[in-house]
mmCIF file of all heavy atoms in Angstrom:
data_model
loop_
_atom_site.group_PDB
_atom_site.id
_atom_site.type_symbol
_atom_site.label_atom_id
_atom_site.label_comp_id
_atom_site.label_asym_id
_atom_site.label_seq_id
_atom_site.Cartn_x
_atom_site.Cartn_y
_atom_site.Cartn_z
ATOM 1 N N THR A 174 127.347 100.786 108.005
ATOM 2 C CA THR A 174 126.069 101.223 107.521
ATOM 3 C C THR A 174 125.005 100.261 108.016
ATOM 4 O O THR A 174 125.298 99.084 108.321
ATOM 5 C CB THR A 174 126.012 101.322 105.974
ATOM 6 O OG1 THR A 174 126.166 99.972 105.432
ATOM 7 C CG2 THR A 174 127.097 102.221 105.446
ATOM 8 N N ASP A 175 123.778 100.712 108.133
ATOM 9 C CA ASP A 175 122.703 99.952 108.759
ATOM 10 C C ASP A 175 121.373 100.250 108.053
ATOM 11 O O ASP A 175 120.826 101.322 108.188
ATOM 12 C CB ASP A 175 122.595 100.309 110.246
ATOM 13 C CG ASP A 175 121.673 99.386 111.017
ATOM 14 O OD1 ASP A 175 120.566 99.115 110.546
ATOM 15 O OD2 ASP A 175 122.051 98.997 112.141
ATOM 16 N N GLY A 176 120.910 99.267 107.250
ATOM 17 C CA GLY A 176 119.594 99.423 106.552
ATOM 18 C C GLY A 176 118.521 98.558 107.147
ATOM 19 O O GLY A 176 117.328 98.775 106.868
ATOM 20 N N GLY A 177 118.900 97.559 107.947
ATOM 21 C CA GLY A 177 117.922 96.713 108.621
ATOM 22 C C GLY A 177 118.510 96.070 109.850
ATOM 23 O O GLY A 177 117.931 95.097 110.416
ATOM 24 N N GLY A 178 119.637 96.582 110.287
ATOM 25 C CA GLY A 178 120.348 96.051 111.431
ATOM 26 C C GLY A 178 121.822 95.853 111.178
ATOM 27 O O GLY A 178 122.556 95.259 111.988
ATOM 28 N N SER A 179 122.327 96.362 110.064
ATOM 29 C CA SER A 179 123.666 96.013 109.604
ATOM 30 C C SER A 179 124.826 96.537 110.406
ATOM 31 O O SER A 179 125.955 96.103 110.231
ATOM 32 C CB SER A 179 123.824 96.460 108.139
ATOM 33 O OG SER A 179 123.075 95.630 107.291
ATOM 34 N N ILE A 180 124.580 97.482 111.308
ATOM 35 C CA ILE A 180 125.555 97.810 112.340
ATOM 36 C C ILE A 180 125.304 96.963 113.600
ATOM 37 O O ILE A 180 126.225 96.395 114.180
ATOM 38 C CB ILE A 180 125.480 99.323 112.688
ATOM 39 C CG1 ILE A 180 126.126 100.151 111.580
ATOM 40 C CG2 ILE A 180 126.151 99.625 114.063
ATOM 41 C CD1 ILE A 180 125.928 101.651 111.763
ATOM 42 N N ARG A 181 124.049 96.895 114.019
ATOM 43 C CA ARG A 181 123.721 96.251 115.286
ATOM 44 C C ARG A 181 123.894 94.732 115.257
ATOM 45 O O ARG A 181 124.342 94.158 116.264
ATOM 46 C CB ARG A 181 122.299 96.614 115.677
ATOM 47 C CG ARG A 181 122.107 98.094 116.069
ATOM 48 C CD ARG A 181 120.659 98.532 115.933
ATOM 49 N NE ARG A 181 120.261 98.615 114.533
ATOM 50 C CZ ARG A 181 119.010 98.498 114.102
ATOM 51 N NH1 ARG A 181 118.016 98.330 114.956
ATOM 52 N NH2 ARG A 181 118.716 98.592 112.809
ATOM 53 N N ILE A 182 123.585 94.112 114.141
ATOM 54 C CA ILE A 182 123.692 92.646 114.071
ATOM 55 C C ILE A 182 125.165 92.179 114.271
ATOM 56 O O ILE A 182 125.434 91.392 115.167
ATOM 57 C CB ILE A 182 123.142 92.129 112.738
ATOM 58 C CG1 ILE A 182 121.654 92.356 112.623
ATOM 59 C CG2 ILE A 182 123.430 90.615 112.588
ATOM 60 C CD1 ILE A 182 121.085 92.215 111.207
ATOM 61 N N PRO A 183 126.111 92.665 113.433
ATOM 62 C CA PRO A 183 127.472 92.202 113.650
ATOM 63 C C PRO A 183 128.101 92.697 114.957
ATOM 64 O O PRO A 183 128.944 92.001 115.543
ATOM 65 C CB PRO A 183 128.214 92.747 112.430
ATOM 66 C CG PRO A 183 127.413 93.918 111.980
ATOM 67 C CD PRO A 183 125.999 93.547 112.260
ATOM 68 N N ALA A 184 127.723 93.883 115.389
ATOM 69 C CA ALA A 184 128.223 94.368 116.667
ATOM 70 C C ALA A 184 127.799 93.423 117.790
ATOM 71 O O ALA A 184 128.603 93.091 118.692
ATOM 72 C CB ALA A 184 127.763 95.792 116.931
ATOM 73 N N ALA A 185 126.549 92.980 117.774
ATOM 74 C CA ALA A 185 126.059 92.040 118.789
ATOM 75 C C ALA A 185 126.789 90.686 118.675
ATOM 76 O O ALA A 185 127.201 90.124 119.718
ATOM 77 C CB ALA A 185 124.567 91.868 118.647
ATOM 78 N N PHE A 186 126.949 90.166 117.478
ATOM 79 C CA PHE A 186 127.630 88.890 117.306
ATOM 80 C C PHE A 186 129.116 88.945 117.692
ATOM 81 O O PHE A 186 129.670 87.942 118.126
ATOM 82 C CB PHE A 186 127.512 88.417 115.860
ATOM 83 C CG PHE A 186 126.226 87.718 115.502
ATOM 84 C CD1 PHE A 186 126.011 87.268 114.237
ATOM 85 C CD2 PHE A 186 125.252 87.468 116.459
ATOM 86 C CE1 PHE A 186 124.866 86.569 113.878
ATOM 87 C CE2 PHE A 186 124.084 86.768 116.135
ATOM 88 C CZ PHE A 186 123.890 86.332 114.847
ATOM 89 N N CYS A 187 129.723 90.116 117.546
ATOM 90 C CA CYS A 187 131.172 90.248 117.801
ATOM 91 C C CYS A 187 131.517 90.900 119.137
ATOM 92 O O CYS A 187 132.677 91.116 119.435
ATOM 93 C CB CYS A 187 131.827 91.034 116.652
ATOM 94 S SG CYS A 187 131.798 90.166 115.075
ATOM 95 N N GLY A 188 130.503 91.237 119.918
ATOM 96 C CA GLY A 188 130.748 91.735 121.267
ATOM 97 C C GLY A 188 131.278 93.150 121.376
ATOM 98 O O GLY A 188 132.026 93.485 122.278
ATOM 99 N N ILE A 189 130.853 94.038 120.421
ATOM 100 C CA ILE A 189 131.256 95.437 120.479
ATOM 101 C C ILE A 189 130.032 96.337 120.540
ATOM 102 O O ILE A 189 128.877 95.852 120.562
ATOM 103 C CB ILE A 189 132.117 95.844 119.267
ATOM 104 C CG1 ILE A 189 131.304 95.822 117.960
ATOM 105 C CG2 ILE A 189 133.332 94.888 119.177
ATOM 106 C CD1 ILE A 189 132.001 96.511 116.792
ATOM 107 N N PHE A 190 130.271 97.622 120.586
ATOM 108 C CA PHE A 190 129.175 98.621 120.580
ATOM 109 C C PHE A 190 128.900 99.071 119.173
ATOM 110 O O PHE A 190 129.833 99.300 118.380
ATOM 111 C CB PHE A 190 129.576 99.849 121.453
ATOM 112 C CG PHE A 190 128.471 100.856 121.575
ATOM 113 C CD1 PHE A 190 127.390 100.645 122.407
ATOM 114 C CD2 PHE A 190 128.501 102.020 120.818
ATOM 115 C CE1 PHE A 190 126.406 101.612 122.542
ATOM 116 C CE2 PHE A 190 127.516 102.968 120.931
ATOM 117 C CZ PHE A 190 126.446 102.771 121.795
ATOM 118 N N GLY A 191 127.637 99.224 118.827
ATOM 119 C CA GLY A 191 127.250 99.735 117.508
ATOM 120 C C GLY A 191 126.038 100.631 117.640
ATOM 121 O O GLY A 191 125.081 100.288 118.319
ATOM 122 N N LEU A 192 126.086 101.765 116.957
ATOM 123 C CA LEU A 192 124.972 102.729 117.016
ATOM 124 C C LEU A 192 124.450 103.021 115.632
ATOM 125 O O LEU A 192 125.236 103.428 114.743
ATOM 126 C CB LEU A 192 125.456 104.037 117.670
ATOM 127 C CG LEU A 192 124.454 105.216 117.595
ATOM 128 C CD1 LEU A 192 123.232 104.931 118.453
ATOM 129 C CD2 LEU A 192 125.148 106.525 118.025
ATOM 130 N N LYS A 193 123.166 102.820 115.434
ATOM 131 C CA LYS A 193 122.452 103.355 114.266
ATOM 132 C C LYS A 193 121.835 104.675 114.720
ATOM 133 O O LYS A 193 120.861 104.683 115.448
ATOM 134 C CB LYS A 193 121.373 102.385 113.810
ATOM 135 C CG LYS A 193 120.540 102.916 112.630
ATOM 136 C CD LYS A 193 119.373 102.005 112.316
ATOM 137 C CE LYS A 193 118.228 102.135 113.302
ATOM 138 N NZ LYS A 193 117.549 103.475 113.184
ATOM 139 N N PRO A 194 122.401 105.775 114.289
ATOM 140 C CA PRO A 194 121.860 107.083 114.734
ATOM 141 C C PRO A 194 120.482 107.338 114.099
ATOM 142 O O PRO A 194 120.060 106.672 113.162
ATOM 143 C CB PRO A 194 122.891 108.065 114.269
ATOM 144 C CG PRO A 194 124.124 107.292 113.901
ATOM 145 C CD PRO A 194 123.602 105.955 113.474
ATOM 146 N N THR A 195 119.819 108.374 114.602
ATOM 147 C CA THR A 195 118.630 108.877 113.920
ATOM 148 C C THR A 195 118.935 109.091 112.436
ATOM 149 O O THR A 195 120.015 109.610 112.083
ATOM 150 C CB THR A 195 118.221 110.222 114.538
ATOM 151 O OG1 THR A 195 117.913 110.011 115.915
ATOM 152 C CG2 THR A 195 116.976 110.809 113.832
ATOM 153 N N TYR A 196 117.986 108.719 111.586
ATOM 154 C CA TYR A 196 118.199 108.901 110.150
ATOM 155 C C TYR A 196 118.526 110.363 109.838
ATOM 156 O O TYR A 196 117.848 111.277 110.307
ATOM 157 C CB TYR A 196 116.976 108.458 109.340
ATOM 158 C CG TYR A 196 117.198 108.703 107.880
ATOM 159 C CD1 TYR A 196 117.935 107.782 107.141
ATOM 160 C CD2 TYR A 196 116.757 109.858 107.257
ATOM 161 C CE1 TYR A 196 118.225 108.008 105.812
ATOM 162 C CE2 TYR A 196 117.053 110.084 105.910
ATOM 163 C CZ TYR A 196 117.749 109.170 105.194
ATOM 164 O OH TYR A 196 118.036 109.409 103.873
ATOM 165 N N GLY A 197 119.561 110.570 109.041
ATOM 166 C CA GLY A 197 119.964 111.910 108.649
ATOM 167 C C GLY A 197 121.001 112.568 109.546
ATOM 168 O O GLY A 197 121.565 113.579 109.203
ATOM 169 N N ARG A 198 121.214 111.961 110.739
ATOM 170 C CA ARG A 198 122.204 112.509 111.649
ATOM 171 C C ARG A 198 123.608 112.453 111.024
ATOM 172 O O ARG A 198 124.413 113.371 111.180
ATOM 173 C CB ARG A 198 122.184 111.744 112.988
ATOM 174 C CG ARG A 198 123.149 112.162 114.053
ATOM 175 C CD ARG A 198 122.830 113.505 114.668
ATOM 176 N NE ARG A 198 123.178 114.629 113.863
ATOM 177 C CZ ARG A 198 122.495 115.769 113.871
ATOM 178 N NH1 ARG A 198 121.401 115.931 114.572
ATOM 179 N NH2 ARG A 198 122.887 116.781 113.104
#
Side-chain angles (χ1 to χ4, degrees):
T174 65
D175 189 316
S179 288
I180 285 172
R181 290 159 290 156
I182 295 164
F186 276 179
C187 294
I189 68 165
F190 183 78
L192 171 67
K193 177 187 77 68
T195 299
Y196 179 80
R198 178 72 282 148

